Amino acid sequence: MSTATRTTTLRRAGVLAGLAAATVLTAAGAASAHVGVHPGSYAKGATDGVLTFRVPNEEDTASTTEVRVYLPTDHPVLGVLVSPQNGWKAEVATTKLRKPVKTDDGSITEAVSRVTFSGGRIRHGQYQDFDIAFGRLPEDTGTLTFKTLQTYSNGDVVRWIEVPQKGAEEPEHPAPTLTLTAEGAAGEDGSAQAAGDTAKSARAVPDATPVAQPKASSVAEDSTARALGIAGLVAGLLGLATVFAFARDRAASATVPVGDSGQAARADEGDEK
């Protein structure tokens, strides 16, 4: 293999490895850019917990100026409280329930149906966490869907309202979805959530006093995105190393050492004599 051929082969291998790594990183970044709710699961009937809605900014030239979260009313979340954010204000809307919910303190006929955060900005390359505390989650359903509208400074509105279907591909704009598990069952985050009056989340709010939250932070790729990105880079580097080794072996096999050629010539001269 000539030097020019080896150089071209190695150059092509490097380009392909780079493209493969870039593809993995891009896919990982896209997968982590949706509006989501954390944690991903709670026990049915869990009390005194917090739901965190993480909103990344996906526009390159516009900022997020409003986030509107709709809470289900067919399976209402009771005792909702919102935390003030730096630079943001929260507006809470309630609705009358079709079917009152019976509690130890009596029947509840109204529940929060919408929380709107506005007045702040989430700029390109940033995200913001919005916390909504609850008093009690419903016990008669396995999932809660929180349809969310994200408004940008240029007037664009992204509607995170598509409901993921089991066994189907993830929709383009999935709504944040919370899984409700059986009492004491391990949730998606790997931890068991207890239900009932004694159930407390790791971030439970001890009283009705709102708690200030941190400012918007720079986007940090989640652990899955980082793992996929690293895997892509490692695969690219391993492929490049393999090409280098192959080219080196081909070059070595095509070259005859000078010392061996000299000995062969002298042996021929001796035979002639």
Side-chain angles (χ1 to χ4, degrees):
M1 180 183 295
S2 65
T3 302
T5 302
R6 289 199 301 273
T7 302
T8 301
T9 301
L10 294 177
R11 184 180 296 126
R12 289 177 179 173
V15 171
L16 291 175
L19 288 175
T23 300
V24 173
L25 287 172
T26 301
S32 65
H34 298 334
V35 173
V37 60
H38 304 278
S41 66
Y42 260 110
K44 294 180 179 181
T47 61
D48 299 331
V50 176
L51 299 174
T52 298
F53 293 85
R54 176 159 296 179
V55 182
N57 190 86
E58 295 185 315
E59 291 280 355
D60 294 333
T61 59
S63 300
T64 298
T65 56
E66 182 181 278
V67 176
R68 183 169 295 183
V69 180
Y70 290 87
L71 282 68
T73 55
D74 52 347
H75 303 286
V77 178
L78 305 181
V80 169
L81 296 171
V82 295
S83 296
Q85 314 285 328
N86 291 325
W88 296 84
K89 62 180 181 180
E91 178 185 353
V92 177
T94 60
T95 189
K96 188 174 182 178
L97 300 176
R98 293 182 180 180
K99 182 180 179 180
V101 178
K102 296 181 180 180
T103 69
D104 293 338
D105 299 323
S107 295
I108 296 178
T109 59
E110 289 188 350
V112 172
S113 58
R114 185 182 71 240
V115 178
T116 303
F117 298 93
S118 61
R121 282 184 178 271
I122 309 174
R123 293 178 170 78
H124 172 65
Q126 295 183 336
Y127 71 88
Q128 176 70 54
D129 284 341
F130 297 96
D131 289 345
I132 296 180
F134 62 83
R136 196 181 85 181
L137 295 178
E139 300 177 354
D140 56 351
T141 185
T143 58
L144 291 178
T145 301
F146 300 91
K147 297 182 178 181
T148 303
L149 302 184
Q150 181 179 11
T151 302
Y152 286 92
S153 56
N154 59 5
D156 290 346
V157 178
V158 180
R159 302 168 63 83
W160 302 96
I161 62 174
E162 298 175 301
V163 180
Q165 301 297 325
K166 187 176 182 180
E169 293 184 0
E170 184 181 57
E172 183 177 359
H173 297 100
T177 302
L178 179 70
T179 300
L180 297 182
T181 64
E183 180 177 356
E188 291 180 354
D189 57 356
S191 61
Q193 298 285 352
D197 294 338
T198 59
K200 302 291 180 181
S201 72
R203 304 178 57 196
V205 178
D207 52 40
T209 304
V211 180
Q213 298 298 314
K215 296 181 179 180
S217 307
S218 297
V219 170
E221 295 294 343
D222 59 24
S223 58
T224 302
R226 286 196 298 268
L228 288 174
I230 293 173
L233 289 176
V234 171
L237 290 175
L238 288 176
L240 188 57
T242 301
V243 172
F244 270 114
F246 176 75
R248 185 181 65 245
D249 292 342
R250 288 293 300 271
S253 62
T255 303
V256 179
V258 175
D260 293 344
S261 298
Q263 291 176 5
R266 286 193 297 271
D268 293 340
E269 290 175 1
D271 292 339
E272 291 177 358
K273 292 178 181 180

